[in-house]
Structure formats: C-alpha cells, structure tokens
Amino acid sequence: DAGVTQSPTHLIKTRGQQVTLRCSPKSGHDTVSWYQQALGQGPQFIFQYYEEEERQRGNFPDRFSGHQFPNYSSELNVNALLLGDSALYLCASSPTYWAASYEQYFGPGTRLTVT
Amino acid sequence: DAKTTQPPSMDCAEGRAANLPCNHSTISGNEYVYWYRQIHSQGPQYIIHGLKNNETNEMASLIITEDRKSSTLILPHATLRDTAVYYCTSQGGSEKLVFGKGTKLTVNP
C-alpha cells in the first residue's frame, strides 16, 4: 500500500517564476492538505482540499493556489515566487473529511529553493 | 498561533522511557490531542491521538489528564531512531493542524 507521494523531490526556481508541486494521497484517502515548513519551524497550514474544493485556507496570499483532481491527487501552484517561498512543502492526506478524529499522513515533501 | 506548548528540547538515555509533556489548557470539548514526529528532513509521521481516554499503540502511549489540559507522550523504550522533533497539536474534526515548534528529543547511547 503506497503512502503519500510527492513530486518533485527538489526544485530550484528563480524569483518571479511559477512552480507546480504534485501530491498523490495514500490509497483510500480523499482529503489532501498542504503545508509549508521553513527551516527550523513547524509546518504551517496552506490549504485543504476535499471533493475538488478548497475547504480551509491558512494565512497565505493568493499567489498560492491549488487543485484536487477526481482521483484525489492534488497540485499546489505558487506564482511570482519570492525568496521567502524557499521551504519544504508537505502534502498530507486523511481518510475522510467528515470523521470526528482526523489523523493525517504526510509525504516526504518537496524542497523548493528560490534564487 | 499554536494552541499547545511544549519544552523546546529533552534528552533521554537509550532503552529508557521518554516522557514528552504538552500543555493544551484551552482545548475545546470536541478537540482531539494528536502527536506527530519529524525525523530530520522527512515529512512528519503520525504517532497517536486521543480525546480523553489514555491510548496505546505499537509506537507509543498517550496519557491525557482528567481535565484534558495537558498530556504526556510516552515512548516506553527509546532507541536512537526515536531522535526527532515531536509535535503535539489539538484539532477538532477536519480543522487545520496548527503546529508549534515542538520538542526536539535526543536519545543518547
């Protein structure tokens, strides 16, 4: 049973460029959340997708957008990259959006470096 | 802002129990306590969660105080591979997880 997978593993971009990160949830999971983790900090919630809709959003600008596909996989897009966007981007999936308890399973992350 | 507070670092001898405390004094009635850990440069790993009863699984035990204002994660026989940052969070339903800085646990040989 494959866990959460993310691609690419590492990415280097230039300021002003756009980037797309991809995530495949754990088998049987229908909800995907994205987090940004700066060096030395805990992960910060970006947004969550269920049934192809953004359900919750953290304190991130509109430059951060996402999408969920019918097979539950998801993309994170960041436009007009800034140096401060350099971070580890984590995807997490959960068994079901409507459960009372809600453990999340994280992928290995994508390390984005903006130069 | 994180709704939990944890000590920034702890040390434990290999083979001994590691007891990691967490304060969540503002926890709501429907919020569960979750513990995750993150080994260097990897994605966080789910460990355990609970509402008000103590919980145990193959990885750890979770002890929640009767007033639910604090909890302790217990790794019964810590190994070097348990060296990681441990995050305690509280969450109700599908609410977003809010991580603090966690506790850096170092298991020493």
Side-chain angles (χ1 to χ4, degrees):
Chain A
D1 178 21
V4 178
T5 60
Q6 293 186 243
S7 63
T9 305
H10 295 86
L11 203 54
I12 300 174
K13 290 286 189 178
T14 304
R15 275 179 300 176
Q17 286 188 317
Q18 178 266 343
V19 68
T20 297
L21 310 182
R22 295 175 175 82
C23 170
S24 290
K26 186 176 169 65
S27 177
H29 288 191
D30 62 10
T31 304
V32 172
S33 299
W34 287 91
Y35 294 80
Q36 179 196 66
Q37 186 173 26
L39 207 59
Q41 304 295 316
Q44 300 298 306
F45 175 79
I46 303 175
F47 42 53
Q48 174 197 63
Y49 277 85
Y50 170 69
E51 289 190 332
E52 303 177 48
E53 290 186 13
E54 183 183 292
R55 298 288 175 153
Q56 297 182 71
R57 189 178 182 91
N59 188 26
F60 280 81
D62 292 344
R63 298 186 298 108
F64 290 76
S65 63
H67 189 78
Q68 186 180 34
F69 300 93
N71 66 353
Y72 309 123
S73 67
S74 177
E75 288 182 349
L76 164 65
N77 301 292
V78 187
N79 295 322
L81 284 167
L82 304 173
L83 295 179
D85 295 331
S86 295
L88 180 67
Y89 288 85
L90 296 160
C91 170
S93 71
S94 309
T96 180
Y97 182 77
W98 299 109
S101 64
Y102 192 71
E103 61 270 28
Q104 297 191 36
Y105 294 84
F106 285 80
T110 293
R111 173 71 62 187
L112 172 65
T113 302
V114 182
T115 63
Chain B
D1 291 341
K3 298 182 286 186
T4 60
T5 55
Q6 300 176 253
S9 64
M10 293 184 65
D11 285 281
C12 176
E14 188 178 19
R16 303 299 293 269
N19 297 286
L20 291 89
C22 178
N23 180 287
H24 32 80
S25 58
T26 60
I27 194 169
S28 300
N30 69 332
E31 289 183 328
Y32 285 72
V33 178
Y34 292 80
W35 283 83
Y36 292 81
R37 73 179 182 185
Q38 188 171 26
I39 297 170
H40 184 59
S41 297
Q42 300 181 19
Q45 177 189 24
Y46 164 78
I47 301 173
I48 198 168
H49 74 281
L51 184 62
K52 53 184 178 181
N53 297 321
N54 298 337
E55 302 287 345
T56 296
N57 63 19
E58 65 279 4
M59 290 184 67
S61 295
L62 174 61
I63 308 298
I64 303 174
T65 59
E66 192 168 343
D67 62 9
R68 301 213 323 125
K69 292 185 177 182
S70 65
S71 62
T72 301
L73 178 75
I74 301 172
L75 307 178
H77 305 287
T79 71
L80 298 179
R81 286 176 293 183
D82 292 322
T83 292
V85 177
Y86 287 76
Y87 296 101
C88 168
T89 72
S90 63
Q91 179 191 21
S94 59
E95 291 176 5
K96 62 184 182 183
L97 276 178
V98 180
F99 289 89
K101 292 191 175 182
T103 296
K104 179 167 175 51
L105 175 68
T106 302
V107 181
N108 300 303

